[in-house]
Amino acid sequence: MEKRKLVELLEDMSMEEKIGQLLQLTGSYFMEDAVLTGPEAEIGVTDQEIACCGSVLSVHGAKELRKIQDRIMKSQPHHIPALFMLDVIHGFRTIFPVPIGQGCTFHPELVKEGASISAKETAVSGVHITFSPMSDLCRDARWGRVMEGTGEDKYLNGVYTKAMVEGYQGKDVKAPYKVGACVKHFAAYGLPEGGREYNTVEVSNRTLFEDYLPAYKEGVKAGAVSVMTSFNTLDRIPSTANRRLMRDVLRDNMGFDGVLISDYGAVMELVNHGIAEDGKEAAKLAINAGVDIEMMSRSYVANLKELIVSGEVEQSVLNEAVMRVLTLKNQLGLFEHPYKDASEEGEQAYILCKEHREAARKCAEESLVLLENDGILPLKKQGQHIAFIGPYVDNKELYGAWALMADGKDAKALSEIVPLLYPNNGYWFEHACNIVPKDSLLSGLASTLETKYTEEEEARAMERAVETAAAADIVVLMMGEHRLQTGEAAAVGDITLPKKQLELLERIAKVNENIVTVLFNGRPLDIREVKEKSSAVLEAWFPGTEGAYAVADTLFGTSNPSGRLSMSFPYCVGQVPVHYDEFATGRPKETEEVENKFCSRYEDIPNAPLYPFGYGLSYADFTYEYRRISKEQLKISKQDDFIEASVTVTNHSDVVGMEVVQLYIQDVKGSVVRPVKELKGFQKICLEPQESKTVTFCITEKMLRFYDINMEYKSEPGEFRIYIGHDSTQSNGLAFHLTK
Ligand code: BGC
């Protein structure tokens, strides 16, 4: 539709209709014979409001959505189609690894392809927008939602945000099989105090701009059509009412002109926050802050009219918000094609098709991070007695908490796959114990918790598992968190594995010293005991529909692990938040030995995490040689000046392997304290046995900019050091100078 016609449409709409465009309700309101219960009933929307509702969340299925679209267009006085939005966080039905696992691939093209596949499955099911990517920077493993982000690094998160937005939207979101992206949760939702969900965020303005905002900005730059507000406060103002954040920073500064949507119920939560007296004031604050769509609360529909009549909200503010929603519908082509790609044939053809499964398998393979290996891996393909033990041995649900459409029936368990793929060993499979105790309170996105054993059955199963372990050559322990232990509303104060599983590990370690532990989890855990008792540790995250294949092939060496940690594994919970790009203190700790009590250290634990950012092993053996830079001076005044930094990487093993070559830069002295180093680039390369490759990074002045003492984003002349290596602990930097 032409812009002029959109304007005409807007002018012709009644106030109720306009306000209706700003309401988003769940699909339950639009089902035939809908009976609403619980919170959905409590919101108390009227039939008239439902008839004018502009967007719908959490519904999918081509047939159903076509019907809902028909119903909405029939009841809406101008027959305006609805927007359908859904949380497709790491796959629609073909589930990819949880985002933190995808972060560990260090392979943005793969992540982009995954997003494009998710878009296709989402689009054919009738949905127009996914509430993804989550670009929140996460440094606190207690927070359940670290699973939904790609990790602790600002640069890496930006790279992935861009990749996902491009994957979902393509070049034109109107094109077939594309969906709109929604960058969330703006802003700094990943920093709740104490790691506790929905908690206050306290962050300096500098850190906010320097570390927390860049990834969202990459999403905006990549053309994301929508952004979601966060539940938290910033500077004691809830984001949903934060005018400066939304209008000055997001819109003016970052240039976002798409639709800003509140998080679920967040407008009414302004009352709980204590900054609005009631729904009316909440509506006023949110719309004036620039929030266009209110998700799942009705303060806009109940109050905006009155607020406009009384002059507390300008008519132009309402028009502007409605126009953005109409523009988005137009961008998606909904006025001409209200069902967009919704098609039952499409669902049949594409959902879980071979190509999608293959991509999910590849992504899962590259997300696995080998944390320890004394040579026990890869497992031999014949002549061994291997006992696979633990609650993930026969579990098909290797999904995270946000895989809403996932179905265990779509996947295979490791116990089904291994004997078929690698038939020449002897295998035993023992489930051994429940993932978590039967009575665990796991409030997440599902209300039921299925456990396999009663207490007595579990005791017998553990006993049997220990006997099996004693008779085996090798034990592969498959343990982890329950998928509902991470995700929204899943913050924890203890980041160790569930107790029963640790008991299992301990008992098995007494009878067999050849233990390979495979971990399924959505957050970095304190795995000191696992490390101590295992000969190898493979971090599998929640690897998705094809996860069991990826794990099996990696254990047996058909696939060579190439994932690297995108979030540090803390030594223990007392260390969090922990991140590699920390700041130099006035009393740095030089060595792990206690030489000086009065330096920045703990009395009882080391400063270093158990596994650092960027870390991960391979079955290949890589060396880095001939680190060099093309020159030692970079001139600010000389436009397009750059330095080339190179290294030669050699694979000395007899297996093909992928290595993530990482570039870190340290700004030695600044007008404000600078991080000890920052990731500025990486390249994932594949090396044949005995092959060498030279990897070159181009360093420009732009990469050295930061918010200086006056909050100006610029570089400062002086010394810099370059570290190229296979993880963030690389020392021996090469120095260069930035000059005027
Ligand atoms: C979450 C969002 C999500 C929304 C809609 C909220 O509770 O914070 O990330 O997109 O629900 O399901």
Side-chain angles (χ1 to χ4, degrees):
M1 191 187 276
E2 286 167 37
K3 176 99 199 273
R4 179 182 52 86
K5 288 206 155 176
L6 275 189
V7 176
E8 281 169 20
L9 173 62
L10 181 74
E11 280 168 2
D12 204 45
M13 286 164 77
S14 68
M15 178 98 85
E16 286 77 10
E17 275 183 85
K18 286 182 185 172
I19 296 170
Q21 287 303 304
L22 309 186
L23 173 67
Q24 175 160 110
L25 295 172
T26 57
S28 321
Y29 293 88
F30 304 92
M31 303 292 184
E32 239 159 355
D33 311 320
V35 183
L36 299 171
T37 53
E40 283 167 345
E42 279 160 29
I43 292 175
V45 272
T46 64
D47 287 347
Q48 162 73 12
E49 287 160 6
I50 295 174
C52 286
C53 177
S55 62
V56 183
L57 85 148
S58 297
V59 262
H60 56 90
K63 194 168 168 199
E64 189 66 47
L65 291 202
R66 281 175 163 255
K67 276 199 223 154
I68 295 181
Q69 191 66 298
D70 286 343
R71 239 171 269 152
I72 290 179
M73 288 176 69
K74 203 163 150 210
S75 63
Q76 209 293 332
H78 283 86
H79 313 298
I80 299 174
L83 277 173
F84 294 117
M85 306 195 184
L86 181 68
D87 290 276
V88 179
I89 308 297
H90 52 109
F92 179 82
R93 185 79 181 266
T94 305
I95 305 300
F96 288 76
V98 287
I100 191 166
Q102 295 193 37
C104 293
T105 64
F106 278 75
H107 199 156
E109 294 80 16
L110 209 59
V111 169
K112 179 173 168 179
E113 188 193 355
S116 160
I117 285 172
S118 303
K120 193 163 187 174
E121 295 193 2
T122 306
V124 293
S125 92
V127 174
H128 310 132
I129 295 197
T130 172
F131 293 129
S132 171
M134 185 183 101
S135 310
D136 306 322
L137 188 75
C138 306
R139 290 166 170 176
D140 191 331
R142 293 170 298 183
W143 192 47
R145 303 194 78 165
V146 302
M147 170 217 109
E148 296 172 53
T150 46
E152 76 182 40
D153 186 62
K154 51 182 181 267
Y155 168 74
L156 195 59
N157 279 0
V159 169
Y160 285 128
T161 294
K162 178 173 184 285
M164 288 188 206
V165 171
E166 290 176 354
Y168 291 133
Q169 299 192 170
K171 289 197 169 67
D172 179 4
V173 70
K174 194 185 279 163
Y177 311 132
K178 289 295 158 202
V179 295
C182 179
V183 173
K184 68 187 188 186
H185 306 85
F186 199 74
Y189 184 39
L191 189 62
E193 264 186 12
R196 201 181 74 206
E197 186 63 294
Y198 313 129
N199 206 4
T200 308
V201 169
E202 274 300 329
V203 62
S204 74
N205 205 34
R206 184 181 311 284
T207 303
L208 178 69
F209 276 80
E210 184 89 33
D211 297 349
Y212 284 85
L213 297 185
Y216 309 111
K217 191 170 177 180
E218 284 302 314
V220 170
K221 262 171 44 192
V225 297
S226 58
V227 168
M228 188 186 291
T229 68
S230 57
F231 286 125
N232 57 278
T233 58
L234 259 184
D235 197 19
R236 308 201 188 167
I237 306 167
S239 299
T240 310
N242 196 330
R243 197 185 167 113
R244 189 184 74 87
L245 184 69
M246 299 307 171
R247 293 209 183 261
D248 302 355
V249 178
L250 177 66
R251 296 226 183 262
D252 296 349
N253 189 324
M254 294 189 183
F256 176 65
D257 62 359
V259 166
L260 179 62
I261 182 167
S262 79
D263 203 344
Y264 199 107
V267 177
M268 269 313 277
E269 287 174 19
L270 298 178
V271 177
N272 291 347
H273 276 294
I275 66 153
E277 189 162 354
D278 50 19
K280 188 173 168 194
E281 196 176 3
K284 179 176 144 186
L285 287 169
I287 193 127
N288 282 336
V291 176
D292 302 317
I293 295 182
E294 176 179 16
M295 189 199 297
M296 280 304 281
S297 56
R298 62 182 288 279
S299 55
Y300 278 16
V301 286
N303 302 295
L304 276 185
K305 190 170 179 180
E306 205 183 315
L307 286 165
I308 287 166
V309 171
S310 69
E312 287 171 85
V313 171
E314 301 278 336
Q315 174 79 41
S316 61
V317 171
L318 173 68
N319 285 348
E320 176 196 52
V322 179
M323 194 59 185
R324 281 200 204 101
V325 176
L326 297 178
T327 305
L328 176 52
K329 291 182 177 184
N330 196 33
Q331 247 179 304
L332 286 155
L334 297 186
F335 289 105
E336 292 80 19
H337 304 285
Y339 310 125
K340 196 166 183 296
D341 302 308
S343 129
E344 287 175 83
E345 294 76 47
E347 289 178 312
Q348 284 293 327
Y350 299 124
I351 291 179
L352 288 166
C353 68
K354 190 163 167 275
E355 187 197 332
H356 293 187
R357 283 183 181 271
E358 278 170 8
R361 183 165 171 173
K362 182 155 174 36
C363 190
E365 282 173 4
E366 293 200 26
S367 71
L368 304 185
V369 187
L370 184 63
L371 297 175
E372 295 288 337
N373 187 18
D374 70 358
I376 194 170
L377 288 181
L379 298 172
K380 295 199 178 71
K381 292 184 182 155
Q382 57 189 37
Q384 303 264 297
H385 285 100
I386 305 178
F388 283 85
I389 296 177
Y392 275 101
V393 160
D394 49 1
N395 194 328
K396 295 181 181 186
E397 299 200 342
L398 305 180
Y399 310 133
W402 271 112
L404 302 181
M405 278 60 68
D407 188 336
K409 290 201 287 291
D410 302 336
K412 291 262 188 284
L414 207 103
S415 55
E416 297 172 283
I417 288 170
V418 166
L420 295 177
L421 294 182
Y422 304 98
N424 299 326
N425 281 318
Y427 298 109
W428 293 295
F429 297 97
E430 298 284 353
H431 189 91
C433 62
N434 296 324
I435 302 179
V436 283
K438 208 174 177 52
D439 54 1
S440 302
L441 175 69
L442 291 186
S443 50
L445 297 165
S447 50
T448 54
L449 177 63
E450 279 176 28
T451 47
K452 194 174 167 99
Y453 301 128
T454 62
E455 242 174 80
E456 300 79 61
E457 286 167 349
E458 191 172 55
R460 283 198 296 276
M462 291 267 279
E463 202 55 52
R464 209 171 44 234
V466 176
E467 279 167 25
T468 306
D473 297 317
I474 289 175
V475 176
V476 180
L477 256 184
M478 301 190 54
M479 314 202 289
E481 294 180 291
H482 191 283
R483 67 189 183 87
L484 297 183
Q485 284 180 296
T486 52
E488 184 172 351
V492 292
D494 175 5
I495 55 167
T496 55
L497 283 164
K499 300 274 170 300
K500 222 9 150 212
Q501 297 187 51
L502 285 174
E503 184 190 324
L504 180 69
L505 168 69
E506 196 176 319
R507 288 177 63 182
I508 287 181
K510 285 194 181 129
V511 299
N512 194 322
E513 58 180 17
N514 298 320
I515 298 178
V516 173
T517 302
V518 184
L519 293 170
F520 298 87
N521 46 300
R523 58 159 60 80
L525 294 170
D526 167 356
I527 53 166
R528 283 173 291 163
E529 280 178 79
V530 173
K531 176 180 158 125
E532 186 198 312
K533 295 191 167 73
S534 310
S535 299
V537 181
L538 181 67
E539 174 54 67
W541 305 109
F542 289 113
T545 311
E546 301 297 301
Y549 284 102
V551 170
D553 282 346
T554 303
L555 289 174
F556 286 95
T558 310
S559 163
N560 190 350
S562 65
R564 304 291 182 258
L565 292 180
S566 62
M567 196 169 167
S568 312
F569 266 51
Y571 182 83
C572 66
V573 74
Q575 233 182 21
V576 297
V578 62
H579 52 103
Y580 80 94
D581 50 345
E582 60 181 5
F583 300 97
T585 66
R587 295 189 178 191
K589 184 180 174 187
E590 306 292 353
T591 63
E592 280 303 332
E593 284 76 53
V594 185
E595 282 171 356
N596 174 13
K597 180 178 168 64
F598 297 97
C599 66
S600 179
R601 58 183 279 275
Y602 296 101
E603 279 287 346
D604 54 348
I605 58 170
N607 281 12
L610 199 62
Y611 299 106
F613 175 86
Y615 170 85
L617 304 171
S618 162
Y619 298 148
D621 173 18
F622 302 112
T623 55
Y624 284 62
E625 287 167 302
Y626 314 120
R627 289 184 177 85
R628 56 207 177 270
I629 48 178
S630 56
K631 56 184 187 177
E632 285 171 9
Q633 281 217 355
L634 185 65
K635 269 196 180 318
I636 301 181
S637 55
K638 195 169 152 208
Q639 248 198 349
D640 303 329
D641 199 10
F642 64 89
I643 293 180
E644 282 185 339
S646 338
V647 69
T648 304
V649 187
T650 306
N651 175 2
H652 291 282
S653 73
D654 54 9
V655 290
V656 182
M658 278 191 278
E659 171 68 329
V660 180
V661 184
Q662 301 164 37
L663 167 77
Y664 297 87
I665 299 185
Q666 177 191 11
D667 185 350
V668 179
K669 183 188 139 314
S671 56
V672 294
V673 177
R674 307 286 293 123
V676 291
K677 57 173 70 131
E678 296 172 291
L679 184 73
K680 292 289 179 181
F682 58 89
Q683 290 181 36
K684 193 166 194 176
I685 54 168
C686 185
L687 290 174
E688 295 294 320
Q690 309 306 325
E691 192 189 2
S692 292
K693 266 186 191 158
T694 295
V695 174
T696 303
F697 295 98
C698 181
I699 293 156
T700 62
E701 177 274 328
K702 220 173 152 189
M703 290 159 77
L704 312 176
R705 294 182 190 170
F706 64 102
Y707 287 93
D708 73 357
I709 189 87
N710 301 315
M711 276 304 280
E712 277 176 44
Y713 192 67
K714 58 195 223 331
S715 60
E716 289 176 356
E719 184 185 342
F720 290 79
R721 283 186 206 139
I722 295 175
Y723 304 90
I724 306 180
H726 47 244
D727 65 39
S728 58
T729 61
Q730 175 63 39
S731 50
N732 298 331
L734 299 167
F736 73 91
H737 280 84
L738 181 69
T739 57
K740 285 193 175 147

